[in-house]
Structures are given as C-alpha cells and as structure tokens.
Amino acid sequence: MNRKGLVGLFKANLPQFVWMSFPVYIGSFIFALEAEDKDPEWLPITLFLITVTILVSIAEFANTYADRDEDWLYVPSNPIVTGELDAVTAMKAFIVQNILGGAFLIALLAVTRNYWLTLALAIGWAVGYTYSMPPFRFKERVVGPLFFALGISLKPIVGWLVIGPLNDFMIGFAVFLFVWLMAFQISGDKLRKTSLALNHGIIQSEGDSGVQSIGTVGLKLTVKTAIFLESFIGLGAFILVPIFWHLDIFNMTLSIALLTLPLVFMILTVITRIREPLRNADKCGQLIGMVYSFIVLSFCGVALASVIHWALAALICVVFLIVFRLLFRVVHPFGEASRIL
C-alpha cells in the first residue's frame, strides 16, 4: 500500500476520537487504584490500552466505511469519499482490525482472568459494530441514541474493571455520562446533517411550517422535538451531579469541575440551538463537542490532581485538548464549514 492509502487508513479510524478516550481510561485507572488501595499492574493495563485502542478504532472505522455513500454531503473528508482509500482496501483493513481486536481480547482475558471486563469489552465491540454497519445500522433507528450512549459510557467502566470491581462512584459517573450522551446524539450530529440536507434541497420544509417541523436526518424526530429532548436530557444530566454529590457518590472537587465549564458550554449550546436550530448547527456542534471534552478532562484532571500537583494535572489536560484539536484539523471529518481551528 502506498503512502496515500496509509494516510487514508489513518484518517478512516478517526484518531482524534480514539485519542480522547485515553483521559477516560487514565481517570478510571487512578480512581480505581485509590478505591482499591493498590499499586498498578502494568502488564494488564498495557494490554488493555492496546485492546481498547483497536476496539474503539473498529467502531470509528465502521462508521467511516458504512457512511461512504452519503458522506459526499455529510462528511466530505471521509477518505473513501476523497479517494485516499478505496472501499475494497477499507473492507480488508476492517476485517484485519476485527481479527486483531479478537486476538487481543482473548490475550487480555488470558492475562487477567477477568470475565466481567471481557464481557463489557465484547458488548462495547458489538455496540460499536451494530451502531453503524448494516443490516443493523442502529444509528438510523429510534434506539440510536441509546446505543451511542452505551458504547461510550462503557469506557470508564472497562477502565475501572481492569483494576477492580465497580463501586457506586464509577456506576454514578457512567450513569451521568450515559444520560448526557443521549442528549448529545439526539440532535448533535443529526441537526448538522439535517441542516446540510436542507441546504442541498434533499429535504424541504412543509409550506409555511418552518424548520421546526422538519424531520431530522437519521432519527425521524422533528427539529422541535430533537431540540427539546437535547435541552431537557442534556441539562437534566447535570442535575444528577449535585444529587450524586449529596449522596456522597461524587466528591466535591469532581462535582464542582463538572458544574463549571461543561455546564456553561451546555447552556450555551441550548441557547444557541433555540435561537437558530439549523443555521447554528455547526456552531452548536462545536459547543456540544466542548461539553464532552470538558466532561472527560474534568474526570481525568481531578483524578490526576490526586496523585500529582494540580498545575501539572491541568497542563496534561491542556495537552490532551491541543492534540485532539490538531488531529481534528488533520483528519477533519466534518467538512470545511465545520473546521474548528
């Protein structure tokens, strides 16, 4: 394979999203080690990180491959659309990735003998595959937000399970993340696609009813309903934070961290979305993306600050964000209009 094909493969795995999984795993490791009062075992941790990197890449690659026929509009930088990677080579690479994922999952089970961890990873693998790939393609069904939220909220759980059994804290954070991710998926990407489809004449508003009544692409909710659910569920997720704080499930530091920048960007998303739901689709996509980034970095940063100086923990989080933005700019999966740098 030539250099162009290798670059295409790199982009097809959407490495920026794979990269932003690592703060979740790091945070889970540290919180779990503190809860279990034990030292890290580097062999299972290293093997786990290799395994999840492959499995998350599989989920992203599946999305790139399955959407190749529609991404001339929705994600024109898809490497299969641009010609950097041909569909036949992509399928072969996808098969190899799945074989590697299975091999490393078996190796992880052999090393850890942790059946709950293996089961959770296998569920995440299945969710990532069925979410995008036919004949399942749950991303286009009413259960799409549930599958999306489940796939990502499993990340802190599997990270914790490498160290020890789950506790109330980890379950609470996974629940918070799951609820918020449903809001993210209900309108985050769907309204961006709806805006593009409307601008290109693929869908049209009915008479004088306006954009509020247009059905969202891929979810079949009206724009008005999607905005309501995003606002209600997204803000509702943050109501869980003080509740978990009151119940001593979340500590004060994490609770405050989650109720600052993540909540501020969530409120900005809701306000911007209500003002111009489709015209502001790109801007809202950037804002809600920042909500997720700051949720993840808050989780990681608070964990790091318990073992190193808080300034160094903050610096590490800044590095994660900078690398993510640089990878996003290189891979650029959402077309020129959505460039965030």
Side-chain angles (χ1 to χ4, degrees):
M1 183 181 295
N2 58 26
R3 181 178 179 275
K4 181 180 178 181
L6 291 174
V7 171
L9 280 174
F10 175 76
K11 292 182 177 181
N13 285 279
L14 301 184
Q16 69 273 31
F17 299 130
V18 178
W19 169 256
M20 284 304 286
S21 299
F22 284 93
V24 181
Y25 301 135
I26 292 171
S28 297
F29 294 157
I30 296 174
F31 280 125
L33 288 169
E34 290 184 337
E36 296 295 314
D37 191 23
K38 61 183 355 180
D39 295 325
E41 297 180 24
W42 294 111
L43 176 58
I45 288 176
T46 301
L47 191 56
F48 166 81
L49 289 174
I50 295 172
T51 303
V52 291
T53 298
I54 296 172
L55 295 183
V56 174
S57 296
I58 287 172
E60 301 296 352
F61 203 129
N63 189 62
T64 299
Y65 181 82
D67 290 353
R68 65 192 184 281
D69 292 329
E70 63 179 37
D71 277 351
W72 64 270
L73 173 60
Y74 299 128
V75 189
S77 58
N78 181 327
I80 303 177
V81 174
T82 62
E84 295 170 280
L85 181 66
D86 66 86
V88 174
T89 302
M91 176 51 72
K92 291 178 180 178
F94 185 62
I95 292 171
V96 170
Q97 277 188 311
N98 278 273
I99 293 172
L100 285 174
F104 274 96
L105 188 59
I106 293 171
L108 183 63
L109 175 61
V111 169
T112 64
R113 299 289 181 181
N114 190 329
Y115 295 98
W116 285 112
L117 171 62
T118 306
L119 177 62
L121 286 170
I123 292 173
W125 186 1
V127 168
Y129 180 89
T130 57
Y131 178 75
S132 299
M133 295 294 287
F136 310 98
R137 201 157 170 78
F138 290 124
K139 66 184 295 182
E140 303 294 342
R141 305 176 188 270
V142 69
V143 295
L146 292 173
F147 269 68
F148 178 84
L150 176 61
I152 298 181
S153 61
L154 279 172
K155 291 180 181 181
I157 289 178
V158 295
W160 188 287
L161 285 173
V162 177
I163 308 300
L166 299 177
N167 64 4
D168 290 343
F169 167 75
M170 190 66 265
I171 294 173
F173 182 74
V175 168
F176 161 75
L177 194 59
F178 177 84
V179 174
W180 183 83
L181 285 166
M182 281 199 298
F184 176 89
Q185 181 62 5
I186 283 172
S187 63
D189 186 56
K190 303 304 182 184
L191 287 183
R192 180 186 66 84
K193 287 186 173 182
T194 303
S195 176
L196 289 168
L198 181 65
N199 291 339
H200 284 76
I202 296 175
I203 58 175
Q204 297 179 348
S205 58
E206 299 178 1
D208 298 326
S209 56
V211 297
Q212 297 281 350
S213 64
I214 296 174
T216 56
V217 172
L219 199 55
K220 309 309 179 186
L221 297 173
T222 64
V223 169
K224 182 178 181 179
T225 303
I227 293 172
F228 170 77
L229 289 175
E230 178 190 60
S231 304
F232 180 78
I233 298 175
L235 293 174
F238 284 95
I239 295 176
L240 293 175
V241 175
I243 293 174
F244 289 158
W245 184 1
H246 177 72
L247 295 174
D248 291 327
I249 295 174
F250 286 178
N251 61 32
M252 181 179 67
T253 306
L254 179 61
S255 300
I256 292 174
L258 292 174
L259 292 174
T260 51
L261 285 176
L263 179 56
V264 167
F265 276 97
M266 186 68 229
I267 293 172
L268 288 174
T269 300
V270 171
I271 294 172
T272 307
R273 184 82 75 190
I274 292 173
R275 291 177 60 187
E276 292 286 350
L278 295 185
R279 186 177 301 173
N280 289 333
D282 290 337
K283 184 181 296 183
C284 289
Q286 294 170 22
L287 288 172
I288 204 167
M290 293 304 293
V291 179
Y292 177 71
S293 297
F294 283 120
I295 288 174
V296 167
L297 294 176
S298 294
F299 180 71
C300 180
V302 170
L304 285 169
S306 66
V307 294
I308 59 177
H309 193 278
W310 65 266
L312 183 57
L315 179 61
I316 292 173
C317 289
V318 170
V319 170
F320 268 114
L321 190 58
I322 290 173
V323 173
F324 167 76
R325 290 169 68 89
L326 290 174
L327 284 172
F328 198 104
R329 182 166 186 167
V330 170
V331 178
H332 195 210
F334 297 137
E336 186 64 26
S338 297
R339 189 182 291 275
I340 63 173
L341 279 179

